[in-house]
Amino acid sequence: MKAPAPLEALTEALRRLPGVGARSAQRFAYHLLQHDREGAALLARALSEAVTRIRHCSRCNTFTELEVCETCSSPRRDPSQLCVVETPADQLMVEQTMAYNGLYFVLMGRLSPLDGIGPKQIGLARLLERAADPALREVILATNFTQEGEATAHYIGELLRARGLKVSRLARGVPVGSELEYVDPSTIAQAMRDRRSV
Amino acid sequence: MKAPAPLEALTEALRRLPGVGARSAQRFAYHLLQHDREGAALLARALSEAVTRIRHCSRCNTFTELEVCETCSSPRRDPSQLCVVETPADQLMVEQTMAYNGLYFVLMGRLSPLDGIGPKQIGLARLLERAADPALREVILATNFTQEGEATAHYIGELLRARGLKVSRLARGVPVGSELEYVDPSTIAQAMRDRRSV
């Protein structure tokens, strides 16, 4: 006896979620079919919608439904500052501090040579192109304060300084070893104010 | 600044998975959109398929694509025995033992008055109907050995015995391969009471 094929397929598909193993996937599948078929249908639609409608902003690379995201096209943002973050989640976190009014570039990753993630994989060419904007005065590196984030910041810093840009890094008010997404906004605000040239 | 609507909707929908909070849901959504859009599309299809095609067997209530599941319609199963389990996962587990060749009834839950789950919610009326089958000689209660599972077994046992059926319960005792030193005292006490001649 085996579980019916569509149930097996659903369990298998749920394992694509990060950190979800065979047991959890089965628990998710059974829960949805037993107790929340409406939720399952809703999730199916949300996934299709997101995959179809979410793309990357052509300027800053963040998730958006538009060709150019709302932040990049806002006249209220200061075009002389560019904050480089690893993920859209990090960008949201910086926004929540209300301590920054410039623009962003989202790497969608970090340098990680051991995992085969080099400058090409995180699209550094696009960042350099973006950084050629004559309105730009300063690039603020807000990658995570992990080893990989620091290495990424260092690498990007070298490249941008060589192009004559002022480059700064969030101050080490942020606890070393932690990820932006999990730090409280006031700590990030402090680090934004104390950013230093590198 | 907010995340784009389809991304918010996806995060919200992922929270319908049991035990998944806001943080995990966001992590799942970002992972799928950044690193595994194919997986997201696959999961969307698997969910729709499962919701459309999976229903409950009209005899045993388990998940199936058929009106009557393969186990219930198999001529090789012994129709004089009926094993009552809480979930299809439990049913698969009993099947894997190769120690049982009768039929099943899947409650799709357990009695849990505090959560508002009474006899109606777990469809006991359908079990009683099923148990009216004249071919049936014995009902084996294989609900979990938790407080709720035990209460469910007790309740069902009373009902079925009142209808003149032989009712049994899986034996309680020391798990195979375990060392007494590491088994909890109540299990050993139970095994002592239920000891059998050898």
Side-chain angles (χ1 to χ4, degrees), chain A residues 131-156:
Chain A
D133 182 345
L136 200 59
R137 291 281 163 271
E138 180 182 4
V139 176
I140 300 160
L141 301 174
T143 52
N144 286 323
F145 283 74
T146 56
Q147 238 177 347
E148 291 169 345
E150 292 279 20
T152 306
H154 181 77
Y155 186 87
I156 295 175

Short mmCIF file of all heavy atoms in Angstrom, two decimals, chain A residues 131-156:
data_model
loop_
_atom_site.label_atom_id
_atom_site.label_comp_id
_atom_site.label_asym_id
_atom_site.label_seq_id
_atom_site.Cartn_x
_atom_site.Cartn_y
_atom_site.Cartn_z
N ALA A 131 26.24 51.99 -10.43
CA ALA A 131 27.07 52.93 -9.68
C ALA A 131 27.72 53.97 -10.59
O ALA A 131 28.32 54.93 -10.12
CB ALA A 131 28.15 52.16 -8.91
N ALA A 132 27.58 53.79 -11.91
CA ALA A 132 28.13 54.78 -12.85
C ALA A 132 27.23 56.01 -12.95
O ALA A 132 27.60 57.00 -13.59
CB ALA A 132 28.30 54.13 -14.23
N ASP A 133 26.06 55.95 -12.32
CA ASP A 133 25.11 57.07 -12.30
C ASP A 133 25.83 58.35 -11.80
O ASP A 133 26.34 58.37 -10.68
CB ASP A 133 23.96 56.70 -11.36
CG ASP A 133 22.88 57.77 -11.30
OD1 ASP A 133 23.14 58.92 -11.75
OD2 ASP A 133 21.79 57.46 -10.80
N PRO A 134 25.86 59.41 -12.60
CA PRO A 134 26.60 60.62 -12.18
C PRO A 134 26.01 61.30 -10.95
O PRO A 134 26.70 62.06 -10.27
CB PRO A 134 26.52 61.52 -13.41
CG PRO A 134 25.42 61.01 -14.25
CD PRO A 134 25.29 59.54 -13.96
N ALA A 135 24.71 61.05 -10.64
CA ALA A 135 24.09 61.67 -9.46
C ALA A 135 24.63 61.07 -8.17
O ALA A 135 24.49 61.64 -7.08
CB ALA A 135 22.57 61.48 -9.53
N LEU A 136 25.27 59.91 -8.28
CA LEU A 136 25.69 59.16 -7.09
C LEU A 136 26.94 59.76 -6.44
O LEU A 136 27.92 60.06 -7.10
CB LEU A 136 25.96 57.71 -7.51
CG LEU A 136 25.95 56.66 -6.40
CD1 LEU A 136 24.61 56.64 -5.70
CD2 LEU A 136 26.26 55.30 -7.01
N ARG A 137 26.87 59.94 -5.08
CA ARG A 137 28.00 60.49 -4.34
C ARG A 137 28.59 59.45 -3.39
O ARG A 137 29.78 59.47 -3.11
CB ARG A 137 27.55 61.72 -3.53
CG ARG A 137 27.19 62.93 -4.35
CD ARG A 137 28.44 63.69 -4.82
NE ARG A 137 28.10 64.60 -5.92
CZ ARG A 137 28.11 64.28 -7.21
NH1 ARG A 137 28.44 63.06 -7.58
NH2 ARG A 137 27.78 65.15 -8.16
N GLU A 138 27.72 58.62 -2.86
CA GLU A 138 28.17 57.70 -1.81
C GLU A 138 27.47 56.35 -1.90
O GLU A 138 26.27 56.30 -2.16
CB GLU A 138 27.87 58.31 -0.42
CG GLU A 138 28.30 57.41 0.73
CD GLU A 138 27.95 58.00 2.10
OE1 GLU A 138 27.30 59.06 2.14
OE2 GLU A 138 28.32 57.37 3.11
N VAL A 139 28.25 55.29 -1.72
CA VAL A 139 27.67 53.95 -1.65
C VAL A 139 27.84 53.44 -0.22
O VAL A 139 28.94 53.42 0.32
CB VAL A 139 28.35 52.99 -2.63
CG1 VAL A 139 27.77 51.57 -2.47
CG2 VAL A 139 28.15 53.46 -4.07
N ILE A 140 26.71 53.05 0.40
CA ILE A 140 26.75 52.55 1.77
C ILE A 140 26.61 51.03 1.73
O ILE A 140 25.60 50.51 1.27
CB ILE A 140 25.59 53.15 2.59
CG1 ILE A 140 25.71 54.67 2.61
CG2 ILE A 140 25.56 52.57 4.00
CD1 ILE A 140 24.42 55.39 2.94
N LEU A 141 27.62 50.34 2.19
CA LEU A 141 27.59 48.88 2.15
C LEU A 141 26.89 48.34 3.38
O LEU A 141 27.35 48.53 4.51
CB LEU A 141 29.02 48.34 2.06
CG LEU A 141 29.80 48.83 0.82
CD1 LEU A 141 31.24 48.37 0.88
CD2 LEU A 141 29.12 48.36 -0.46
N ALA A 142 25.74 47.70 3.16
CA ALA A 142 24.95 47.18 4.28
C ALA A 142 24.74 45.68 4.12
O ALA A 142 23.67 45.15 4.42
CB ALA A 142 23.61 47.91 4.37
N THR A 143 25.77 45.00 3.63
CA THR A 143 25.71 43.54 3.61
C THR A 143 25.79 43.06 5.06
O THR A 143 26.14 43.82 5.95
CB THR A 143 26.88 42.95 2.81
OG1 THR A 143 28.10 43.51 3.30
CG2 THR A 143 26.76 43.29 1.33
N ASN A 144 25.47 41.80 5.28
CA ASN A 144 25.47 41.28 6.64
C ASN A 144 26.85 41.31 7.27
O ASN A 144 27.86 41.34 6.58
CB ASN A 144 24.94 39.83 6.65
CG ASN A 144 23.44 39.79 6.43
OD1 ASN A 144 22.72 40.65 6.92
ND2 ASN A 144 22.98 38.80 5.68
N PHE A 145 26.85 41.28 8.62
CA PHE A 145 28.13 41.30 9.35
C PHE A 145 28.61 39.89 9.65
O PHE A 145 29.16 39.60 10.70
CB PHE A 145 27.98 42.15 10.61
CG PHE A 145 28.02 43.62 10.28
CD1 PHE A 145 26.93 44.23 9.67
CD2 PHE A 145 29.15 44.37 10.51
CE1 PHE A 145 26.97 45.56 9.32
CE2 PHE A 145 29.19 45.71 10.16
CZ PHE A 145 28.10 46.31 9.57
N THR A 146 28.36 39.02 8.68
CA THR A 146 28.91 37.67 8.73
C THR A 146 30.21 37.68 7.95
O THR A 146 30.54 38.67 7.29
CB THR A 146 27.94 36.69 8.06
OG1 THR A 146 27.71 37.15 6.72
CG2 THR A 146 26.61 36.64 8.78
N GLN A 147 30.91 36.54 7.99
CA GLN A 147 32.17 36.49 7.25
C GLN A 147 31.95 36.75 5.77
O GLN A 147 32.67 37.52 5.13
CB GLN A 147 32.79 35.10 7.43
CG GLN A 147 34.18 35.17 8.03
CD GLN A 147 34.76 33.78 8.28
OE1 GLN A 147 34.04 32.78 8.21
NE2 GLN A 147 36.04 33.74 8.54
N GLU A 148 30.93 36.10 5.21
CA GLU A 148 30.67 36.24 3.78
C GLU A 148 30.21 37.65 3.43
O GLU A 148 30.60 38.21 2.41
CB GLU A 148 29.63 35.21 3.33
CG GLU A 148 30.17 33.79 3.39
CD GLU A 148 29.09 32.76 3.19
OE1 GLU A 148 27.90 33.11 3.29
OE2 GLU A 148 29.44 31.60 2.94
N GLY A 149 29.37 38.22 4.31
CA GLY A 149 28.89 39.58 4.08
C GLY A 149 30.03 40.58 4.13
O GLY A 149 30.09 41.52 3.31
N GLU A 150 30.93 40.41 5.09
CA GLU A 150 32.08 41.29 5.23
C GLU A 150 32.98 41.19 4.00
O GLU A 150 33.46 42.20 3.46
CB GLU A 150 32.90 40.92 6.48
CG GLU A 150 32.21 41.20 7.80
CD GLU A 150 32.32 42.66 8.24
OE1 GLU A 150 32.59 43.53 7.40
OE2 GLU A 150 32.10 42.91 9.44
N ALA A 151 33.21 39.95 3.54
CA ALA A 151 34.05 39.74 2.37
C ALA A 151 33.42 40.41 1.14
O ALA A 151 34.10 41.04 0.33
CB ALA A 151 34.26 38.25 2.12
N THR A 152 32.09 40.27 1.05
CA THR A 152 31.37 40.88 -0.06
C THR A 152 31.53 42.40 -0.01
O THR A 152 31.80 43.05 -1.04
CB THR A 152 29.88 40.51 0.01
OG1 THR A 152 29.76 39.10 0.06
CG2 THR A 152 29.13 41.02 -1.21
N ALA A 153 31.37 42.97 1.19
CA ALA A 153 31.51 44.42 1.35
C ALA A 153 32.92 44.87 0.97
O ALA A 153 33.10 45.87 0.27
CB ALA A 153 31.20 44.81 2.79
N HIS A 154 33.90 44.11 1.42
CA HIS A 154 35.28 44.45 1.13
C HIS A 154 35.53 44.45 -0.38
O HIS A 154 36.08 45.40 -0.93
CB HIS A 154 36.22 43.45 1.81
CG HIS A 154 37.67 43.73 1.58
ND1 HIS A 154 38.35 44.73 2.25
CD2 HIS A 154 38.57 43.17 0.73
CE1 HIS A 154 39.60 44.76 1.81
NE2 HIS A 154 39.75 43.82 0.88
N TYR A 155 35.07 43.41 -1.02
CA TYR A 155 35.28 43.25 -2.45
C TYR A 155 34.61 44.37 -3.24
O TYR A 155 35.22 45.02 -4.10
CB TYR A 155 34.72 41.89 -2.89
CG TYR A 155 35.01 41.52 -4.32
CD1 TYR A 155 36.19 40.87 -4.68
CD2 TYR A 155 34.09 41.81 -5.32
CE1 TYR A 155 36.44 40.52 -5.99
CE2 TYR A 155 34.33 41.47 -6.64
CZ TYR A 155 35.52 40.83 -6.97
OH TYR A 155 35.76 40.49 -8.27
N ILE A 156 33.35 44.64 -2.90
CA ILE A 156 32.61 45.70 -3.59
C ILE A 156 33.25 47.06 -3.31
O ILE A 156 33.38 47.90 -4.20
CB ILE A 156 31.13 45.71 -3.16
CG1 ILE A 156 30.45 44.41 -3.59
CG2 ILE A 156 30.40 46.90 -3.74
CD1 ILE A 156 29.01 44.29 -3.11
#
